[in-house]
């Protein structure tokens, strides 16, 4: 169902909604036939929630597709991530907490090395360290161009963010200068359409000055740009679902994606205590809360099965406090799987539970991948979860007579 | 799959198909962890059918969406209800059994109260009784306008149906006069496109005369119109599936939706005996039969758990007779859930069973929400069921070589 169809049915409801995301929650058994991280963890509180409302599996993007954090979270917010795509430049800006404004053109930049003929010989400037790159980015940040404000933020190692704020309105339909190849010069800046000329002109001027400023530096004597993008004009979450909505997270990326769909967002320290305290402080003033826990994904990415188990158990311990603070419908899941055995994001469907509101119960169930695979809520797409939670909260009117 | 894709595969088959709809069949446990209405009912005959063919859950519209009767039935007929939308005026006409013809413009009307300046002060004329409204609707039904035949049918309380049958062909793209607000006058009639001018002109004349005729009446001294619509031009069910198709029901709404997709339809008394007798009488002359049982939904809407159980048991008792009469593939399900605990339609997926034709069996299963959640036929969209039944009946050819 389209977000506009959902918006037409949304109504104020009597229950609030808590979306608790354990980043990278889904996992795999350490040995074939064994238990996953979630199945290994002792989770009496999450198990009780399953019993009250049911569980299932969700596919964040599509079968076999490993989601990044952006698409994974968009899906959980009810946005089909294949339909709502974020440009890499914008994602880069969100990831470092840059306050991107409507009309800004965000671009992902690489420091690179060119030879005396301007041919790219290293696309990452010898994987320059973050320390070494700092003064280089400082030089770039002083560049001024006519027709636009130019802002530069260092990201990590060879990566930086360029934001152009053109005086004249412009689309971001500008070609990458990064060809992805060495042995050829960077592609000259070119607008793909008339409407992108202001951004393209400013970018061309900026690249020329960058080449001049970095000339003689080593190893970073040039820049490559890719992923020109601007803030998308999407339906806004608080209006689609008619819920005053707050994101609480420690990391800029997640706050950024939440802001992108129109939620308010507050940054807290990276601890469960900080999440819980902030939730309790804000509980009366919003209808929807998105809480983000990073530790599960970190442990998964580190390949640390036991630590992922332990993070899940810590979250379980604080769950009753979170549920009580909101007192409505609770949706607990992940934005994707991050099996410790793979030490990376993966495509495996993600377990979810939903409790609160009118539901068929699942007595005796415990929260884990195997039980969720035959759970009462079935196997759904990630973006089908939020409408289901909204229905449980009494927030969606009947469709048709 | 699109209906046109299905139509391309449809072929005459050797088995007939019976679609038995228990309106609002899906339910919820009376107490958490308990049994639903269907799980409480003793249904040896339905259980036996599950054993012969399998069961599952279907979502009529989309996750979290509560279907009205129109979308719920369209879905069961194989029409994705988000793609095939019925205007409110047309639904209103179907609901009272009005013989709507191609080219007719159907509009939902309210009797309302305006003050001496023409400002709406009550959108429902003080919720006028059906009795009191009758002579008012009689006055309206006598109004004649140039350019169209104007037909008025009383519906209930303040509601009536206006059907305009314009002399010149016209679309129904006319704005509502009902703003949904009090304190402002009705919106003047306006066509949204040139093609809707004949309908708009007739409607404008009709509203003027209605204001004149009702002037001085109390409390109903004016009308509000909304939901201008005409019969949609959809693929016709009997042609898509190549089945001579008959609907048997007691209530006009369900006969109307069946006629809307091109089925023939016969109205019977509101009893299982009447349904069964009519089916037996017509069994030789059609390939497809849609039988509608209203009692389950009524009991659910009344919040009467025990009565819903009892209606289900009565249906179970007559099932062998219905199955024998058709002697082919049987699909038993609901158009949506109506849990007695909610006393309303709900978004919960609906149990279905399919028996007859080549199938993987589900020995020992009984027909209920929990078993269906892990049933052999899985969790599907409502409009996926009819193709499945048609396949079982040998009526869909291979797709591609």
């Amino acid at each position: 169902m389209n977000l506009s169809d959902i918006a037409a049915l949304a109504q104020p409801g009597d229950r609030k909604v808590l979306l608790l995301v354990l980043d990278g929650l889904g996992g795999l058994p350490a040995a074939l036939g064994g238990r996953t991280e979630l199945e290994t963890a002792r989770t009496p509180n999450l198990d009780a929630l399953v019993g009250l409302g049911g569980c299932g599996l969700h596919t964040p993007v599509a079968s076999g597709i490993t989601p990044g954090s952006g698409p994974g979270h968009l899906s959980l917010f009810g946005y089909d991530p294949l339909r709502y795509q974020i440009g890499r430049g914008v994602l880069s800006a969100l990831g470092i907490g840059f306050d991107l404004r409507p009309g800004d053109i965000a671009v992902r930049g690489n420091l690179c090395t060119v030879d005396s003929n301007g041919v790219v010989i290293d696309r990452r400037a010898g994987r320059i360290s973050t320390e070494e790159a700092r003064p280089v980015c400082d030089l770039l940040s002083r560049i001024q161009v006519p027709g636009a404000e130019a802002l530069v933020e260092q990201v990590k190692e060879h990566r930086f963010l360029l934001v152009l704020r053109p005086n004249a309105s412009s689309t971001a339909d500008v070609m990458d200068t990064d060809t992805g190849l060495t042995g050829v010069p960077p592609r000259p800046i070119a607008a793909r359409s008339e409407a992108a000329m202001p951004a393209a002109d400013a970018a061309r001027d900026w690249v020329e000055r960058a080449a001049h400023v970095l000339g003689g530096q080593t190893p970073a004597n040039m820049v490559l740009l890719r992923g020109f993008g601007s803030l998308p004009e999407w339906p806004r979450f608080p209006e689609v679902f008619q819920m005053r909505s707050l994101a609480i997270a420690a990391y800029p990326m997640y706050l950024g994606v939440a802001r992108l769909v129109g939620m308010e967002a507050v940054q807290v320290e990276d601890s469960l205590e900080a999440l819980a305290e902030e939730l309790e402080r804000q509980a009366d003033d919003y209808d929807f809360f998105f809480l983000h826990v990073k530790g599960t994904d970190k442990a998964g990415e580190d390949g640390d099965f036991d630590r992922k188990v332990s993070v899940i158990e810590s979250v379980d311990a604080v769950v009753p406090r979170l549920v009580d603070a909101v007192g409505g419908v609770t949706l607990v899941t992940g934005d994707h799987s991050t099996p410790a055995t793979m030490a990376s994001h993966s495509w495996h469907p993600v377990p979810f539970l939903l409790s609160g509101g009118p539901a068929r119960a699942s007595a005796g169930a415990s929260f884990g991948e195997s039980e969720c695979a035959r759970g009462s809520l079935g196997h759904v797409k990630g973006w089908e979860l939020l409408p289901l939670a909204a229905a449980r909260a009494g927030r969606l009117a009947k469709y048709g007579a």
Side-chain angles (χ1 to χ4, degrees), chain A:
Chain A
M1 194 174 228
N2 289 339
L3 291 174
S4 58
D5 291 323
I6 290 171
L9 301 177
Q11 61 185 12
D14 44 3
R15 291 190 193 88
K16 293 172 184 258
V17 176
L18 168 64
L19 166 62
L20 173 61
V21 175
L22 282 72
D23 201 304
L25 175 64
L28 290 174
L32 203 64
R35 290 164 177 241
T36 67
E37 299 90 321
L38 178 57
E39 288 167 349
T40 304
R42 293 193 322 128
T43 55
N45 295 309
L46 291 168
D47 297 351
L49 290 181
V50 172
L52 291 171
C55 64
L57 289 176
H58 80 85
T59 296
V61 178
S63 187
I65 304 304
T66 298
S69 295
H73 278 87
L74 279 181
S75 184
L76 292 180
F77 298 158
Y79 294 67
D80 175 353
L82 288 170
R83 192 156 168 209
Y84 296 95
Q85 303 201 6
I86 316 177
R88 289 193 160 263
V90 173
L91 213 56
S92 209
L94 298 181
I96 60 168
F98 186 92
D99 177 27
L100 204 63
R101 305 182 193 168
D104 285 357
I105 311 291
V107 198
R108 193 176 271 206
N110 270 17
L111 300 176
C112 72
T113 313
V114 294
D115 68 14
S116 56
N117 297 317
V119 167
V120 178
I121 53 176
D122 190 320
R123 290 180 54 250
R124 297 179 189 85
R127 291 199 179 270
I128 187 172
S129 72
T130 304
E131 271 315 297
E132 271 189 290
R134 184 158 300 131
V136 185
C137 288
D138 279 348
L139 287 174
L140 293 179
S141 70
R142 280 180 223 134
I143 296 174
Q144 298 191 356
V145 293
E149 195 176 344
L151 305 156
V152 170
E153 296 283 341
Q154 185 175 15
V155 177
K156 200 179 167 186
E157 297 165 353
H158 58 282
R159 291 195 298 275
F160 66 91
L161 169 73
L162 169 64
V163 174
L164 296 168
R165 193 164 283 167
N167 300 337
S169 139
S170 177
T171 69
D173 205 10
V174 177
M175 286 176 71
D176 295 351
T177 72
D178 184 4
T179 61
L181 303 171
T182 52
V184 294
R187 189 185 290 121
I189 289 278
R192 278 212 194 78
S193 69
E194 189 74 30
M197 295 289 282
D201 290 343
R204 191 176 305 106
D205 289 339
W206 190 87
V207 170
E208 259 174 40
R209 282 165 172 70
H212 180 73
V213 164
L214 300 190
Q217 297 276 326
T218 165
N221 63 358
M222 187 50 184
V223 295
L224 296 173
L225 301 181
R226 64 195 167 111
F228 285 75
S230 52
L231 283 181
E233 288 180 25
W234 292 346
R236 292 165 59 82
F237 182 94
E239 285 142 38
V240 169
F241 291 100
Q242 287 199 28
M243 297 193 285
R244 296 165 301 166
S245 303
L246 180 70
I248 308 178
Y251 290 79
M253 163 67 89
Y254 313 100
L255 299 164
V257 179
R259 281 200 195 97
L260 195 65
V261 299
M263 293 185 204
E264 293 178 51
V266 53
Q267 187 165 22
V268 296
E269 256 181 50
D270 190 12
S271 79
L272 294 172
E273 179 60 29
L275 282 176
E277 269 181 26
E278 190 65 27
L279 180 65
E280 285 166 345
R281 193 165 19 243
Q282 305 269 12
D284 288 344
D285 297 334
Y286 295 87
D287 306 304
F288 173 86
F289 305 88
F290 154 50
L291 264 66
H292 182 265
V293 175
K294 180 72 177 171
T296 31
D297 182 60
K298 269 190 188 161
E301 293 262 17
D302 291 346
D304 192 334
F305 190 99
D306 294 340
R307 197 170 92 234
K308 192 169 166 196
V309 170
S310 146
V311 173
I312 294 169
E313 292 184 343
S314 306
V315 173
D316 184 76
V318 80
V319 154
R321 190 172 157 195
L322 304 178
V323 170
D324 286 351
V326 176
V329 171
T330 306
L331 171 58
V332 183
T333 188
D335 54 335
H336 53 74
S337 293
T338 306
T341 53
M342 295 177 69
S344 69
H345 291 203
S346 81
W347 62 89
H348 301 90
V350 187
F352 73 88
L353 71 80
L354 193 58
S355 83
R360 293 168 187 154
S362 309
S366 71
F367 192 38
E369 285 82 351
S370 304
E371 298 248 7
C372 286
R374 45 176 191 271
S376 61
L377 299 176
H379 193 144
V380 301
K381 302 293 187 188
W383 59 95
E384 295 181 312
L385 290 175
L386 220 284
L388 196 53
R392 291 264 193 115
R395 293 177 177 275
L396 289 178
K398 187 162 68 174
Y399 175 72

